[in-house]
Amino acid sequence: MTDDVVPVMKIGDTLLVALQGDLDDTTVIQIEEQLTREIAHTSATGMLIDVSRLSVVDSFIARVLARIVAMVRLLGAQAAVVGIQPAVAITLVELGVPMGHLDTALNAEQGLALLRRLRHDDAGADRP
Amino acid sequence: MTTHAATDREPAVFEIAHEADLIRVRKVLRAEAQTAGLNLVDATKLITAGSELARNILNYATGGRGRVSVERVHQQGRQGVRATFADGGPGIDDIEAALADGFSSSGSMGLGLPGSRRLVDDMTLTSAPGSGTTVVIVKWQR
């Protein structure tokens, strides 16, 4: 698709997205739209958003990340944010951005394990 | 504290008028933070606070325009970075309220000012209705 702004890898039924560089607001919104499309158009049941190469995450970017995760869930999949830099984590907590409801993991490997667990919980909840 | 800090040289001054200027603010702050010897966490806090304040200008100032100046300061052998965000917008009626968590005149989460204040060592806000807003932040080397 021509308006894709970020490369997305599909590993099994999980989409892996790595964000990097200095993101302006327009790019962040475009990424949000692209990722929502990708989940809807593929049969992926999970998405990992790797932010390990983002050296700054301000309240706007954080808010959009939370929105992406919420939308992925609405579309019937699971999403997690992985690789938040320690300095970014400290900054977000002091800034006061509410991210407690976000599923996060230290890295992509642990993120995959987290998605497996979330999917399992989902499946388990459906059983009597 | 800020008022007595000496500056090293002429500040970098530039206009905030477009979204791309947010990235410029982050870049300039990152470069100055490195030169001033701020550690990674402090530099990240400073850059993030600057990004929030610059976005405030884009969102709230008249025509989304303002001016940022960034300079290195030193005091008692310590180096730091001072950044000034000025706009000629509508100003703020109640500064105390604007600095309180959860306050927002625009329906956003209202994290910008109180959140930014927590990220820096010193923040002063000068404003009056109709005469714009100036926010000065300082982050010192540990």
Side-chain angles (χ1 to χ4, degrees):
Chain A
M1 232 175 284
T2 47
D3 46 355
D4 282 0
V5 282
V6 64
V8 177
M9 267 192 291
K10 192 157 187 276
I11 305 168
D13 48 9
T14 300
L15 299 181
L16 180 61
V17 190
L19 305 184
Q20 57 181 313
D22 230 335
L23 302 175
D24 65 37
D25 295 2
T26 304
T27 308
V28 173
I29 296 293
Q30 284 170 342
I31 291 171
E32 176 181 36
E33 286 164 2
Q34 184 196 335
L35 295 185
T36 313
R37 259 198 328 265
E38 302 254 5
I39 279 286
H41 291 172
T42 62
S43 54
T45 56
M47 176 183 283
L48 288 184
I49 306 167
D50 181 359
V51 297
S52 61
R53 276 175 286 182
L54 293 187
S55 56
V56 170
V57 175
D58 66 7
S59 64
F60 180 80
I61 299 174
R63 215 149 43 210
V64 177
L65 282 175
R67 240 159 48 191
I68 294 171
V69 170
M71 278 191 288
V72 169
R73 283 194 193 131
L74 275 178
L75 293 168
Q78 294 290 348
V81 174
V82 301
I84 298 180
Q85 289 292 321
V88 170
I90 293 168
T91 301
L92 283 175
V93 169
E94 281 197 29
L95 187 59
V97 181
M99 294 187 88
H101 59 289
L102 267 194
D103 287 305
T104 55
L106 195 56
N107 53 41
E109 194 181 356
Q110 293 186 17
L112 285 173
L114 172 67
L115 287 183
R116 268 197 301 275
R117 216 158 52 233
L118 290 170
R119 284 187 195 116
H120 185 260
D121 287 353
D122 260 12
D126 290 339
R127 285 185 214 119
Chain B
M1 188 164 156
T2 20
T3 45
H4 303 298
T7 57
D8 285 342
R9 56 192 164 89
E10 287 295 296
V13 180
F14 48 96
E15 301 288 322
I16 295 286
H18 306 283
E19 219 184 75
D21 297 328
L22 284 187
I23 289 181
R24 188 162 175 211
V25 169
R26 294 181 203 149
K27 279 206 172 89
V28 171
L29 287 173
R30 181 175 291 122
E32 288 297 338
Q34 269 164 9
T35 317
L38 267 63
N39 66 33
L40 180 63
V41 171
D42 286 336
T44 305
K45 287 180 181 177
L46 173 72
I47 297 161
T48 307
S51 188
E52 301 290 326
L53 295 172
R55 182 174 282 107
N56 275 355
I57 291 179
L58 285 179
N59 290 347
Y60 307 126
T62 307
R65 300 182 86 86
R67 182 184 296 255
V68 176
S69 73
V70 179
E71 58 201 325
R72 215 152 2 107
V73 289
H74 55 86
Q75 186 180 55
Q76 292 162 359
R78 268 206 309 177
Q79 290 202 88
V81 178
R82 177 164 67 199
T84 305
F85 299 79
D87 69 62
I92 298 171
D93 284 317
D94 188 342
I95 291 178
E96 281 305 307
L99 286 170
D101 267 319
F103 175 85
S104 172
S105 55
S106 68
S108 71
M109 288 195 303
L111 290 172
L113 288 174
S116 300
R117 179 155 73 168
R118 281 192 293 271
L119 294 178
V120 295
D121 294 316
D122 192 56
M123 181 169 113
T124 52
L125 196 157
T126 325
S127 183
S131 61
T133 304
T134 300
V135 182
V136 183
I137 55 173
V138 185
K139 190 82 184 165
W140 294 104
Q141 170 191 41
R142 311 244 155 258

